[in-house]
Amino acid sequence: MKNILNIINSPLSWGLPAFLIGFILGVTQLSVWLLTILLVGFVIYIIFQKPATNSREGRIFAPAGIVIFTWLIGFILKGIIF
């Protein structure tokens, strides 16, 4: 169970799906809906977290920015490659 929580707490586990959505779908309505679902999932994830402390605050909130950034990188790379 602890391994699963470590995976969920990793910013990479939030960024990889966003990158794939951006790279595979580009900027489409489906892509934006999937990104919205991912961000709503992030908000639900935040609700169940322990209160933020100075040492944990960045790690708790970093995935939101990473989701948006990796989605942008995904569709930019798709545009450059294809």
Side-chain angles (χ1 to χ4, degrees):
M1 183 69 173
K2 188 169 174 116
N3 289 335
I4 293 172
L5 289 176
N6 285 337
I7 291 171
I8 293 173
N9 288 335
S10 170
L12 181 62
S13 66
W14 293 91
L16 186 61
F19 175 80
L20 293 175
I21 290 170
F23 189 76
I24 293 169
L25 298 175
V27 182
T28 61
Q29 186 174 4
L30 178 61
S31 174
V32 173
W33 275 106
L34 290 173
L35 188 70
T36 302
I37 291 168
L38 191 61
L39 287 172
V40 168
F42 175 74
V43 170
I44 293 169
Y45 159 79
I46 290 295
I47 290 170
F48 291 107
Q49 289 295 309
K50 296 176 186 172
T53 61
N54 286 338
S55 62
R56 293 187 53 227
E57 186 175 13
R59 186 155 175 90
I60 291 173
F61 294 105
I66 290 171
V67 165
I68 299 296
F69 184 72
T70 55
W71 178 67
L72 287 168
I73 296 297
F75 72 75
I76 289 170
L77 285 178
K78 179 181 182 173
I80 291 171
I81 294 171
F82 301 107

